[in-house]
Amino acid sequence: MGAAILGMQATVGLLVAKALTSSANPYYQGISPGYSPVLALDVFLVQASANTILSHFLGLVFSLELLRSVTVPPTEAIPMPQTA
């Protein structure tokens, strides 16, 4: 899941870079047949997906940590007085 988050953020970075470098060319004027401009909606959709995956990942990590801290017995047991 961490690798998926890293890959999604890399995709967002690539889309932002492509959008910034292609913004100098006006849309659909002298565009080669293989060229497809990046729309702002593309960047926002991929960023929203990456944020959703990241929030689910962080929620999972924190909830598992809380569960672990509640269920794991302490390592140092409190000494109980012994009656003779």
Side-chain angles (χ1 to χ4, degrees), residues 10-25 27 34-39 42-43:
T11 304
V12 169
L14 181 69
L15 278 175
V16 168
K18 188 175 177 184
L20 290 176
T21 57
S22 68
S23 65
N25 296 336
Y27 290 118
Y35 178 76
S36 61
V38 176
L39 302 176
D42 297 335
V43 178

Side-chain angles (χ1 to χ4, degrees), residues 67-78:
L67 181 66
R68 186 194 65 80
S69 68
V70 169
T71 57
V72 171
T75 56
E76 297 178 9
I78 300 172

